Amino acid sequence: MKFTMHDNMGEKMTKLTGRYNIKRTLVTGGAGFLGSHLCDALIERGHEVLCVDNLFTGARRNIEHLLDHPRFEFMRHDVTFPLYVEVDEIYNLACPASPIHYQHDPVQTTKTSVMGAINMLGLAKRLKVPIFQASTSEVYGDPNTPLQHESYWGNVNPIGIRSCYDEGKRAAETLFMDYHRQHNLDIKIVRIFNTYGPRMHPQDGRVVSNFIVQALRNEPITIYGDGMQTRSFCFYSDLIRGFLALMDSDKSITGPCNIGNPNEFTMIDLAKLVLEITGSSSPLVFGPLPQDDPKQRRPDITMARDKLGWNPEIQLAEGLEKTVSYFAELLKTSYS
């Protein structure tokens, strides 16, 4: 006998089935910047969401608006340890993503990427459910090609100070592909290019948050190197649309798939735009370029366009205005 849900999404089905008639989704790293926005999108879709995070870089404030929602559950857990839950699909986003955070404990960063992937893949294999891996453009290292296509193998220093993150994510991709080939596991791999927006940590050391916080405080804006290195900035809402489109795609589309905005800006371009939006009088100051810092980032998004029908919609000026508003409010409160 089949039971169906009524309009009250919090209402449970009879114990004869023991399941909800809606998809139960696990999001690791769900209290982070991107993870929390993904939780929002999944709740909006009608999913039941199990958010797992050890709160090393994630924050309860990112998910506090969801804590009383009948279809949301938060579990504090480190993915380097096995997790035994029942879900219908998995998004694996657990890993510190900013240099300041992932270099704080590089051994733990590598363990999170590699052991976390092993534990989540093992869970997906046991449950026979699809699993999504949030990888990164950092797998391309300091590229020697102006446009990074998924077929490019990268130029990564395996023993540098960024290697814990770069190589950890590369190893995670290897594990995902091997589980797919060996166990026929339904996998999706996305390579995330620079993403920004509300809920970024104000002290994560990333260029967008650095520039905005410094500008709002009228402090000098710190540019590393000569400021001519480039990045391509994707607003969080566009990225989350890409996540969902990839997860919804045919099983044959495993990725890796670049998701990012291909419009390229120098660090000086970004600083000037932040100064214009904030009306700040902050001067620009220059410092040495950190070791292995990529000089260029620009995604080839042909695969995302052709196979997912995805394109970024929010351009940098519009996204920065929304992000500046978020940080302006944040700095009035706990980060004043």
Side-chain angles (χ1 to χ4, degrees), residues 66-78:
L66 294 174
L67 292 176
D68 292 329
H69 196 286
R71 286 184 282 110
F72 181 82
E73 179 183 356
F74 172 67
M75 177 189 297
R76 188 164 184 171
H77 178 82
D78 188 326

PDB file of all heavy atoms in Angstrom, residues 66-78:
ATOM      1  N   LEU A  66      16.902  28.231   9.953  1.00  0.00           N
ATOM      2  CA  LEU A  66      16.355  26.931   9.579  1.00  0.00           C
ATOM      3  C   LEU A  66      16.160  25.995  10.767  1.00  0.00           C
ATOM      4  O   LEU A  66      15.508  24.950  10.624  1.00  0.00           O
ATOM      5  CB  LEU A  66      17.288  26.236   8.570  1.00  0.00           C
ATOM      6  CG  LEU A  66      17.430  26.875   7.195  1.00  0.00           C
ATOM      7  CD1 LEU A  66      18.504  26.152   6.391  1.00  0.00           C
ATOM      8  CD2 LEU A  66      16.099  26.854   6.440  1.00  0.00           C
ATOM      9  N   LEU A  67      16.708  26.329  11.918  1.00  0.00           N
ATOM     10  CA  LEU A  67      16.770  25.373  13.026  1.00  0.00           C
ATOM     11  C   LEU A  67      15.388  24.914  13.503  1.00  0.00           C
ATOM     12  O   LEU A  67      15.250  23.785  13.986  1.00  0.00           O
ATOM     13  CB  LEU A  67      17.558  25.972  14.193  1.00  0.00           C
ATOM     14  CG  LEU A  67      19.057  26.174  13.935  1.00  0.00           C
ATOM     15  CD1 LEU A  67      19.733  26.854  15.119  1.00  0.00           C
ATOM     16  CD2 LEU A  67      19.748  24.845  13.625  1.00  0.00           C
ATOM     17  N   ASP A  68      14.383  25.762  13.373  1.00  0.00           N
ATOM     18  CA  ASP A  68      13.035  25.380  13.789  1.00  0.00           C
ATOM     19  C   ASP A  68      12.176  24.854  12.643  1.00  0.00           C
ATOM     20  O   ASP A  68      10.997  24.554  12.834  1.00  0.00           O
ATOM     21  CB  ASP A  68      12.326  26.576  14.441  1.00  0.00           C
ATOM     22  CG  ASP A  68      12.960  26.968  15.772  1.00  0.00           C
ATOM     23  OD1 ASP A  68      13.493  26.065  16.454  1.00  0.00           O
ATOM     24  OD2 ASP A  68      12.945  28.161  16.111  1.00  0.00           O
ATOM     25  N   HIS A  69      12.767  24.726  11.472  1.00  0.00           N
ATOM     26  CA  HIS A  69      11.993  24.252  10.329  1.00  0.00           C
ATOM     27  C   HIS A  69      11.733  22.754  10.473  1.00  0.00           C
ATOM     28  O   HIS A  69      12.631  21.988  10.824  1.00  0.00           O
ATOM     29  CB  HIS A  69      12.755  24.523   9.028  1.00  0.00           C
ATOM     30  CG  HIS A  69      11.897  24.434   7.806  1.00  0.00           C
ATOM     31  ND1 HIS A  69      11.464  23.224   7.297  1.00  0.00           N
ATOM     32  CD2 HIS A  69      11.390  25.399   6.991  1.00  0.00           C
ATOM     33  CE1 HIS A  69      10.736  23.443   6.230  1.00  0.00           C
ATOM     34  NE2 HIS A  69      10.668  24.756   6.019  1.00  0.00           N
ATOM     35  N   PRO A  70      10.509  22.295  10.209  1.00  0.00           N
ATOM     36  CA  PRO A  70      10.180  20.877  10.425  1.00  0.00           C
ATOM     37  C   PRO A  70      10.923  19.914   9.500  1.00  0.00           C
ATOM     38  O   PRO A  70      10.993  18.721   9.786  1.00  0.00           O
ATOM     39  CB  PRO A  70       8.665  20.818  10.164  1.00  0.00           C
ATOM     40  CG  PRO A  70       8.372  22.021   9.325  1.00  0.00           C
ATOM     41  CD  PRO A  70       9.328  23.076   9.789  1.00  0.00           C
ATOM     42  N   ARG A  71      11.491  20.419   8.408  1.00  0.00           N
ATOM     43  CA  ARG A  71      12.203  19.537   7.491  1.00  0.00           C
ATOM     44  C   ARG A  71      13.719  19.743   7.538  1.00  0.00           C
ATOM     45  O   ARG A  71      14.432  19.319   6.633  1.00  0.00           O
ATOM     46  CB  ARG A  71      11.694  19.735   6.060  1.00  0.00           C
ATOM     47  CG  ARG A  71      10.321  19.125   5.835  1.00  0.00           C
ATOM     48  CD  ARG A  71       9.870  19.233   4.386  1.00  0.00           C
ATOM     49  NE  ARG A  71       9.383  20.577   4.075  1.00  0.00           N
ATOM     50  CZ  ARG A  71      10.007  21.434   3.294  1.00  0.00           C
ATOM     51  NH1 ARG A  71      11.164  21.120   2.751  1.00  0.00           N
ATOM     52  NH2 ARG A  71       9.488  22.631   3.059  1.00  0.00           N
ATOM     53  N   PHE A  72      14.201  20.383   8.593  1.00  0.00           N
ATOM     54  CA  PHE A  72      15.645  20.641   8.719  1.00  0.00           C
ATOM     55  C   PHE A  72      16.162  20.057  10.019  1.00  0.00           C
ATOM     56  O   PHE A  72      15.545  20.206  11.079  1.00  0.00           O
ATOM     57  CB  PHE A  72      15.924  22.145   8.694  1.00  0.00           C
ATOM     58  CG  PHE A  72      17.391  22.486   8.788  1.00  0.00           C
ATOM     59  CD1 PHE A  72      18.202  22.446   7.668  1.00  0.00           C
ATOM     60  CD2 PHE A  72      17.954  22.845  10.002  1.00  0.00           C
ATOM     61  CE1 PHE A  72      19.552  22.751   7.753  1.00  0.00           C
ATOM     62  CE2 PHE A  72      19.298  23.152  10.099  1.00  0.00           C
ATOM     63  CZ  PHE A  72      20.099  23.109   8.975  1.00  0.00           C
ATOM     64  N   GLU A  73      17.308  19.393   9.935  1.00  0.00           N
ATOM     65  CA  GLU A  73      17.963  18.832  11.117  1.00  0.00           C
ATOM     66  C   GLU A  73      19.451  19.139  11.047  1.00  0.00           C
ATOM     67  O   GLU A  73      20.081  18.979   9.993  1.00  0.00           O
ATOM     68  CB  GLU A  73      17.749  17.316  11.168  1.00  0.00           C
ATOM     69  CG  GLU A  73      18.412  16.640  12.365  1.00  0.00           C
ATOM     70  CD  GLU A  73      18.247  15.132  12.358  1.00  0.00           C
ATOM     71  OE1 GLU A  73      17.542  14.611  11.458  1.00  0.00           O
ATOM     72  OE2 GLU A  73      18.836  14.463  13.233  1.00  0.00           O
ATOM     73  N   PHE A  74      20.014  19.586  12.163  1.00  0.00           N
ATOM     74  CA  PHE A  74      21.449  19.866  12.231  1.00  0.00           C
ATOM     75  C   PHE A  74      22.136  18.826  13.108  1.00  0.00           C
ATOM     76  O   PHE A  74      21.657  18.496  14.190  1.00  0.00           O
ATOM     77  CB  PHE A  74      21.720  21.261  12.795  1.00  0.00           C
ATOM     78  CG  PHE A  74      23.180  21.529  13.065  1.00  0.00           C
ATOM     79  CD1 PHE A  74      24.080  21.626  12.016  1.00  0.00           C
ATOM     80  CD2 PHE A  74      23.653  21.650  14.357  1.00  0.00           C
ATOM     81  CE1 PHE A  74      25.424  21.852  12.250  1.00  0.00           C
ATOM     82  CE2 PHE A  74      24.995  21.871  14.602  1.00  0.00           C
ATOM     83  CZ  PHE A  74      25.886  21.973  13.548  1.00  0.00           C
ATOM     84  N   MET A  75      23.272  18.323  12.619  1.00  0.00           N
ATOM     85  CA  MET A  75      24.070  17.365  13.378  1.00  0.00           C
ATOM     86  C   MET A  75      25.526  17.835  13.378  1.00  0.00           C
ATOM     87  O   MET A  75      26.105  18.043  12.313  1.00  0.00           O
ATOM     88  CB  MET A  75      23.990  15.967  12.748  1.00  0.00           C
ATOM     89  CG  MET A  75      24.868  14.925  13.455  1.00  0.00           C
ATOM     90  SD  MET A  75      24.953  13.358  12.535  1.00  0.00           S
ATOM     91  CE  MET A  75      23.225  12.858  12.584  1.00  0.00           C
ATOM     92  N   ARG A  76      26.085  17.998  14.571  1.00  0.00           N
ATOM     93  CA  ARG A  76      27.502  18.372  14.656  1.00  0.00           C
ATOM     94  C   ARG A  76      28.347  17.098  14.557  1.00  0.00           C
ATOM     95  O   ARG A  76      28.272  16.217  15.419  1.00  0.00           O
ATOM     96  CB  ARG A  76      27.792  19.116  15.958  1.00  0.00           C
ATOM     97  CG  ARG A  76      29.201  19.701  15.993  1.00  0.00           C
ATOM     98  CD  ARG A  76      29.344  20.748  17.077  1.00  0.00           C
ATOM     99  NE  ARG A  76      30.656  21.377  17.042  1.00  0.00           N
ATOM    100  CZ  ARG A  76      30.996  22.438  17.756  1.00  0.00           C
ATOM    101  NH1 ARG A  76      30.102  22.991  18.577  1.00  0.00           N
ATOM    102  NH2 ARG A  76      32.196  22.954  17.670  1.00  0.00           N
ATOM    103  N   HIS A  77      29.141  17.017  13.494  1.00  0.00           N
ATOM    104  CA  HIS A  77      29.892  15.792  13.228  1.00  0.00           C
ATOM    105  C   HIS A  77      31.054  16.116  12.297  1.00  0.00           C
ATOM    106  O   HIS A  77      30.968  16.991  11.431  1.00  0.00           O
ATOM    107  CB  HIS A  77      28.976  14.750  12.566  1.00  0.00           C
ATOM    108  CG  HIS A  77      29.663  13.471  12.217  1.00  0.00           C
ATOM    109  ND1 HIS A  77      29.869  12.470  13.138  1.00  0.00           N
ATOM    110  CD2 HIS A  77      30.197  13.019  11.051  1.00  0.00           C
ATOM    111  CE1 HIS A  77      30.496  11.460  12.558  1.00  0.00           C
ATOM    112  NE2 HIS A  77      30.711  11.776  11.283  1.00  0.00           N
ATOM    113  N   ASP A  78      32.167  15.421  12.479  1.00  0.00           N
ATOM    114  CA  ASP A  78      33.355  15.560  11.643  1.00  0.00           C
ATOM    115  C   ASP A  78      33.359  14.414  10.629  1.00  0.00           C
ATOM    116  O   ASP A  78      33.340  13.243  11.015  1.00  0.00           O
ATOM    117  CB  ASP A  78      34.611  15.500  12.533  1.00  0.00           C
ATOM    118  CG  ASP A  78      35.889  15.814  11.785  1.00  0.00           C
ATOM    119  OD1 ASP A  78      35.991  15.472  10.589  1.00  0.00           O
ATOM    120  OD2 ASP A  78      36.808  16.391  12.401  1.00  0.00           O
TER     121      ASP A  78
END
